[in-house]
Amino acid sequence: MLEKGLFLMVIGMGITFLFLGILIISIIGASKLVWRFFPEPEEPVTPSRVSTADTEISIAIAAVTARLPK
């Protein structure tokens, strides 16, 4: 009785492992296929510009720290 239970457990775990392996391989293959035929469009690189709010905050912080005693 114990041998049959262990046999069924090994068979069940083997089938599950095999199924998950096939699933992972098929997902990786589908992902590569999609990326090959539908790549993301490359956006032109533009230099980042500091917004005026960031500039004003930086000026305020610099003014406050310049007046602090050292």
Side-chain angles (χ1 to χ4, degrees), residues 11-31:
I11 294 295
M13 290 177 71
I15 290 173
T16 302
F17 183 76
L18 183 66
F19 171 76
L20 291 176
I22 292 171
L23 181 66
I24 290 170
I25 291 169
S26 64
I27 288 174
I28 291 171
S31 174

Side-chain angles (χ1 to χ4, degrees), residues 19-68:
F19 171 76
L20 291 176
I22 292 171
L23 181 66
I24 290 170
I25 291 169
S26 64
I27 288 174
I28 291 171
S31 174
K32 288 182 180 180
L33 190 68
V34 167
W35 281 110
R36 182 175 189 172
F37 291 110
F38 302 103
E40 287 188 16
E42 293 183 16
E43 297 180 14
V45 178
T46 57
S48 63
R49 299 179 188 258
V50 179
S51 67
T52 56
D54 290 341
T55 306
E56 291 175 2
I57 292 171
S58 299
I59 292 171
I61 291 172
V64 169
T65 54
R67 292 188 178 188
L68 291 177

